Amino acid sequence: MKRTKVIDALKSTAYGSDICVKGWVRSKRGSKGIFFIALNDGSTIKSMQIVGEDTNFDEETIKRITTGACLSVVGKLVESPAAGQASEIQAAEIEILGDCDNTYPLQKKGASMEFLRSVAHLRPRTNLFGAILRIRHNMAMAIHTYFHEHGYFYFHTPLITASDCEGAGNMFQVTTKNLYDLKKDEQGKIIYDDDFFGEQTSLTVSGQLEGDLGETGLGAIYTFGPTFRAENSNTPRHLAEFWMIEPEVAFLDQEELMDLEEDFIKYCVRWALEKCKDDLEFINNNKFITPNQDLIPRLESVLKDEFVRLPYTEGIRILQEAKKNGKKFEFPCEWGDDLASEHERYLVEEHFKKPVIMTDYPRSFKSFYMKQNTPVDAASPDGASVGYKGAVAPGPTMQGTDVLFPSIGEIIGGSVREESLDKLMAEINRREMDTTHLWWYLDTRKYGSCPHAGFGLGFERLILFVTGMQNIRDVIPFPRTPKNAEF
Ligand code: 4AD
Ligand code: MG
């Protein structure tokens, strides 16, 4: 008999007809010669209730129906007398497809997130991770649909690269060299001539620079792929391997970029509310994960709010004001300082109480490719007025546009790009950057340079927000973090 997925079986009203479902036992209980099985096949958070009479099955089969076992069940679909489910199946035949050993670690409810990480090979079978992973899938579909509908092309950028986009230097090297026998030159530098690519290569920290090349041909592209950062950040918001979405768009100015960021995030959140209702409700009603049962209201409020658009200099002024009024921050927040997550969260969660798009940053901690505001010293007077104490004059601010979210901090990092070759080169030289691996990027500024902008959304940070989970390790099936690459 053809198998019906639980999600379809639960919708069916063909009461009285025979049906076959297959899945894993979430729980089994019995009383007075009748047993009840909650059978889940992953197609939905909801399990199908299977009802069986002891006398219809041999004792051995009933014994083998344990939590985690895989079954095929044939029986009659009937209206359920129990609350919370429309139908159930009166089992006629049960075949055990896979026995579950009694060492199965997911026997009890309420396992801690830490414990579940230690059994990441099994945690997709829990209700919670099923919900998270279905939401994750739906968010990927939302992203592709958004860009497709808006005329963007999915552009594949390489994972192995010889350039360091963000200039952060936190890259994982890729080599086929024998690490026990490295050839070095007179200065002690490793010789890469005989390595696979004939030069030093790494896993990409961002597809942006190559995305820029696609944009000059296709007008509007987006990337969606794995990204790698070897920074030793052991925080609930950092992964060494995460997924990033990076649109790059010709003829977009700073206002339009912010419009895009806001519209895009709201589209994704709306998609979740519409298409992941059961899973969101499950997480919302799980008091262990959502003590205040406020996940869905939080998502709805993001749709209602207009994001605040806040120049960095104004943000610093607000933070300084808060300090004057007794607010304590661990890290400094003078003009010129990169904001720590405590500052971002103060602005978003306490001051504005809604998402903030922060703009026009000092160049001291932003990337070389951002469009420089003119005049060059535009920020200096403002900077001085809020107490800039840096030794070097601030110089031009840059047209960055980062989106800061409640409980997450930075969810999007974006900017308008500097399209002037002269200004870009001046900035590259000021930073004493090596341009060996940037020649092709600089060519775009030589051959029909165009005003353009783009951003990078951290996929797992979006999933953190949409699921309300607290730790980024719990929104990706197999997290990669310092000292952890198991599974
Ligand atoms: O701010 P970032 O470093 O920006 C870029 O990589 C640009 N090239 C993007 C662009 O303009 N095309 O990273 C972008 C986003 C961050 O806002 C954050 O959401 C996420 O990527 N992110 C991380 N997510 C998880 N773990 C990490 N270690 C992350 N680092 C950045
Ligand atoms: Mg950033």
Side-chain angles (χ1 to χ4, degrees), residues 165-166 205-209 223 227-231 233 235 237-248 261 366-367 369-370 402-403 408-415 417 453-462 472:
C165 168
E166 291 303 303
V205 294
S206 162
Q208 181 193 327
L209 300 192
T223 72
T227 311
F228 307 88
R229 301 214 177 156
E231 52 196 339
S233 306
T235 82
R237 281 183 296 278
H238 287 87
L239 290 165
E241 177 181 293
F242 63 100
W243 288 65
M244 187 153 51
I245 294 94
E246 296 185 278
E248 199 66 37
E261 290 175 343
K366 285 292 179 190
S367 299
Y369 50 69
M370 295 193 182
D402 287 1
V403 182
I408 309 288
E410 184 191 319
I411 191 164
I412 278 184
S415 77
R417 318 306 189 190
F455 67 77
L457 166 79
F459 188 51
E460 285 74 19
R461 297 215 182 153
L462 174 69
I472 200 161

Side-chain angles (χ1 to χ4, degrees), residues 184-204:
K184 296 185 182 166
D185 66 13
E186 282 118 57
Q187 283 100 48
K189 281 192 168 163
I190 297 166
I191 298 169
Y192 285 97
D193 297 1
D194 61 343
D195 201 356
F196 190 92
F197 296 105
E199 59 184 329
Q200 189 179 355
T201 52
S202 307
L203 293 176
T204 187

Side-chain angles (χ1 to χ4, degrees), residues 204-346:
T204 187
V205 294
S206 162
Q208 181 193 327
L209 300 192
E210 287 95 348
D212 212 316
L213 310 176
E215 158 267 314
T216 59
L218 299 165
I221 62 94
Y222 70 104
T223 72
F224 188 168
T227 311
F228 307 88
R229 301 214 177 156
E231 52 196 339
N232 199 4
S233 306
N234 247 315
T235 82
R237 281 183 296 278
H238 287 87
L239 290 165
E241 177 181 293
F242 63 100
W243 288 65
M244 187 153 51
I245 294 94
E246 296 185 278
E248 199 66 37
V249 201
F251 318 119
L252 210 65
D253 67 19
Q254 196 178 22
E255 280 304 312
E256 292 165 329
L257 174 62
M258 290 189 276
D259 292 343
L260 172 67
E261 290 175 343
E262 184 167 344
D263 188 51
F264 168 62
I265 293 200
K266 285 182 171 171
Y267 181 93
C268 293
V269 172
R270 203 175 302 120
W271 183 291
L273 283 166
E274 281 168 13
K275 312 227 170 164
C276 308
K277 220 164 162 285
D278 291 346
D279 287 322
L280 284 177
E281 268 168 18
F282 174 82
I283 299 174
N284 189 70
N285 298 339
N286 180 332
K287 288 207 179 114
F288 181 58
I289 304 295
T290 320
N292 304 324
Q293 309 207 324
D294 57 351
L295 173 63
I296 293 175
R298 254 184 342 230
L299 299 182
E300 284 167 346
S301 87
V302 160
L303 294 185
K304 274 189 241 113
D305 290 337
E306 231 175 83
F307 296 5
V308 176
R309 299 183 179 190
L310 178 75
Y312 168 89
T313 300
E314 178 61 13
I316 291 290
R317 199 193 56 72
I318 293 169
L319 292 168
Q320 295 283 341
E321 193 68 33
K323 262 170 76 172
K324 255 188 244 149
N325 293 331
K327 176 79 194 170
K328 295 253 179 306
F329 294 118
E330 190 184 338
F331 296 99
C333 51
E334 305 287 319
W335 200 96
D337 289 330
D338 194 356
L339 295 188
S341 115
E342 58 174 345
H343 306 127
E344 295 172 346
R345 294 184 65 166
Y346 173 79

Side-chain angles (χ1 to χ4, degrees), residues 23-41:
W24 293 266
V25 177
R26 283 280 199 267
S27 64
K28 180 183 148 208
R29 62 194 167 82
S31 75
K32 297 185 200 126
I34 298 180
F35 60 86
F36 301 90
I37 304 164
L39 198 72
N40 190 286
D41 68 358

